[in-house]
Amino acid sequence: MSGIKIITAGESHGQALVGIVEGLPSNMPLTQEDIDTELRRRQMGYGRGGRMKIETDKAEILTGVRWGKTLGSPVAIKITNKDWANWSKGMSVSSEDYSAIAAVTRPRPGHADLTGAAKYDFKDIRNILERASARETTTRVALGAVCKRFLKEFDITIGSFVTSIGDIRTNTLPHMLESVELVELFNMAEDFKGNTATVRTPCKRDSHKMISAIGKATAAGDTLGGTFIVFATNVPVGLGSHIQWDKKLDGKLAQAIMSIQAVKGVEIGMGFHAATLNGSEVMDEIFYEKPETPKFGFYRKTNNAGGIEGGMSNGMPIILSAAMKPIPTLRGKPLKSVDLLTKTPIEAAYERSDICAVPSCSVIAEAMTAVVLADAFLEKFGGDAIDETRKNYDNYMEYLSGI
Ligand SMILES: Cc1cc2nc3c(=O)[nH]c(=O)nc-3n(C[C@H](O)[C@H](O)[C@H](O)COP(=O)(O)O)c2cc1C
């Protein structure tokens, strides 16, 4: 059985960002609004820089959808960069525009700049930073939105909320998070009523403290990172597999989230904290109740494993947390670097930059979680048409309730 494949292309100041998602069944409803809603969520967040004020990201579905439903063929999506108007010469495809803008020769610590230029043999760091930029994640969010739409057909909800910014941690989170609780916290974090001064954290008091910390960092010309939780509810038992290292669902999710620019750590369930406790405090004991509807009768009263055991979903909500490092470009405290051409000590280049992007990062992590779960779901249940996928799913649920 095959799953989902995604690929993204595009430079930060190029004409457009494009992406393809392949492997979706036919007859799944999909609208541009399904995607634009997620793109808007990615653009939110207190502490974002000037670029987000220029862009109002909108998806254009180019292929794979007819009259509101998928065709089973690859879905290609384009997001035009509004800023292209200012970069049409500087990022031109034509050799006639060569040297239209000055080369970037001052590598920024914490970026792909120096190693990328060395590896790809460039004297102009722009050839690296344009693609390494987190602008690329716009496409990931668009493709993830398509995967979210697919998972919605099976009542799987994916959400996230911010748990810390800098050293301000939310302490309203209980250790064990149930589905209902997770969705409630997510709804609280989303409840910003169009106000861009959101940090996507559930508690208003923590939110004010985090906003004030970002304000202080801005005033000091510095930046901040933070942590967030991503979850998925109603994930059926048995996605992923124990049989080979690259089939393990926890491994796939960790890779997908770690691949997001500036993410430096991913934990599943209790994560690192589990290493400090006794086994009796960590494992989720098993209970059984005969199910009334077609579902798995075995359940847990705790979810320290974060919904994954042996590389497979165990029916409990999937819970991950991730850490984002502070934004590396500093306005007020330029970092020491060395000019690529002259080899003289200089200050790192400053390009319009975010102060804190943890709220956006959590939305991107939702998208990557959706891609991995849609892939694992389709690998398990297959189906060329959505009704076929559903029959396979229903049949499996029926089987589970009988064991
Ligand atoms: C949503 C988002 C926005 C970001 N915005 C910026 C930014 O404005 N300026 C910057 O220097 N880095 C920004 N970053 C971080 C860099 O993209 C990232 O640190 C860099 O590409 C190096 O990758 P690494 O940190 O994974 O090694 C952002 C990351 C994300 C996820």
Side-chain angles (χ1 to χ4, degrees):
M1 299 260 185
S2 65
I4 290 274
K5 262 197 285 190
I6 65 160
I7 188 161
T8 74
E11 280 72 42
S12 179
H13 299 97
Q15 275 191 58
L17 302 158
V18 291
I20 296 179
V21 49
E22 190 189 74
L24 291 161
S26 65
N27 291 330
M28 180 192 97
L30 184 67
T31 64
Q32 300 210 158
E33 189 49 31
D34 289 329
I35 302 169
D36 288 344
T37 307
E38 295 296 319
L39 293 179
R40 272 195 298 277
R41 291 180 66 233
R42 178 191 169 282
Q43 290 201 274
M44 287 288 167
Y46 189 71
R48 299 305 303 277
R51 181 71 190 273
M52 286 305 104
K53 294 193 179 83
I54 297 173
E55 305 293 344
T56 317
D57 293 330
K58 282 211 170 297
E60 210 182 315
I61 300 174
L62 301 178
T63 69
V65 180
R66 183 171 183 230
W67 293 339
K69 288 191 175 167
T70 53
L71 297 172
S73 52
V75 175
I77 297 170
K78 176 179 163 193
I79 300 130
T80 300
N81 279 324
K82 275 199 187 162
D83 212 9
W84 167 247
N86 302 315
W87 290 84
S88 58
K89 293 271 184 220
M91 288 300 291
S92 165
V93 172
S94 167
S95 61
E96 282 173 18
D97 297 314
Y98 182 71
S99 284
I101 57 170
V104 178
T105 60
R106 297 188 290 164
R108 298 163 303 165
H111 274 278
D113 297 10
L114 179 60
T115 311
K119 179 174 161 72
Y120 287 87
D121 189 16
F122 289 132
K123 299 288 181 249
D124 183 356
I125 293 168
R126 181 158 303 285
N127 290 340
I128 297 300
L129 67 86
E130 284 286 334
R131 178 64 185 156
S133 159
R135 179 86 185 125
E136 179 262 345
T137 58
T138 310
T139 327
R140 298 205 216 184
V141 168
L143 301 175
V146 178
C147 294
K148 265 193 181 179
R149 182 64 193 80
F150 166 74
L151 294 168
K152 198 172 144 193
E153 291 286 314
F154 300 91
D155 292 329
I156 296 174
T157 301
I158 295 177
S160 69
F161 45 88
V162 169
T163 45
S164 73
I165 300 258
D167 62 0
I168 312 290
R169 287 200 72 79
T170 178
N171 47 24
T172 50
L173 300 179
H175 211 63
M176 154 70 192
L177 298 161
E178 302 273 0
S179 284
V180 180
E181 219 174 357
L182 285 163
V183 173
E184 223 167 77
L185 292 168
F186 169 58
N187 289 337
M188 283 158 73
E190 286 284 293
D191 183 26
F192 50 83
K193 301 192 172 66
N195 181 359
T196 49
T198 174
V199 281
R200 304 201 61 252
T201 202
C203 165
K204 289 269 176 294
R205 205 182 49 232
D206 297 332
S207 172
H208 292 314
K209 283 193 208 158
M210 289 176 188
I211 286 172
S212 140
I214 296 170
K216 276 190 199 141
T218 310
D222 221 320
T223 59
L224 289 174
T227 56
F228 55 86
I229 282 181
V230 189
F231 66 87
T233 60
N234 207 31
V235 179
V237 172
L239 300 192
S241 175
H242 64 292
I243 65 160
Q244 198 58 263
W245 67 271
D246 60 349
K247 291 190 179 300
K248 291 180 182 248
L249 192 64
D250 44 359
K252 287 185 181 191
L253 285 165
Q255 200 265 324
I257 292 173
M258 190 68 110
S259 76
I260 301 169
Q261 287 83 340
V263 168
K264 294 296 141 201
V266 180
E267 296 182 71
I268 315 271
M270 199 182 241
F272 277 35
H273 184 56
T276 66
L277 302 174
N278 294 319
S280 56
E281 297 169 288
V282 174
M283 307 311 145
D284 304 306
E285 292 180 309
I286 300 172
F287 301 88
Y288 179 80
E289 198 177 299
K290 198 171 169 35
E292 280 167 18
T293 52
K295 67 174 196 184
F296 200 42
F298 297 86
Y299 70 97
R300 319 299 171 101
K301 292 181 182 171
T302 55
N303 186 18
N304 296 328
I308 303 175
E309 286 170 310
M312 292 171 281
S313 53
N314 67 6
M316 295 297 283
I318 289 182
I319 306 179
L320 305 143
S321 49
M324 183 186 191
K325 75 179 186 185
I327 298 286
T329 305
L330 307 178
R331 183 181 47 77
K333 298 178 178 170
L335 298 168
K336 289 189 183 67
S337 183
V338 175
D339 189 278
L340 202 58
L341 302 183
T342 64
K343 316 293 186 296
T344 48
I346 38 93
E347 286 180 348
Y350 177 78
E351 293 223 354
R352 196 176 37 202
S353 196
D354 298 329
I355 309 297
C356 175
V358 182
S360 291
C361 197
S362 63
V363 174
I364 300 160
E366 285 179 29
M368 293 312 289
T369 301
V371 171
V372 171
L373 292 183
D375 174 59
F377 194 100
L378 281 163
E379 203 166 273
K380 170 129 189 70
F381 299 111
D384 296 306
I386 193 89
D387 279 353
E388 191 185 353
T389 311
R390 201 182 313 281
K391 271 186 203 132
N392 296 342
Y393 172 82
D394 290 345
N395 190 34
Y396 176 70
M397 286 311 199
E398 199 65 52
Y399 151 76
L400 281 182
S401 60
I403 57 172

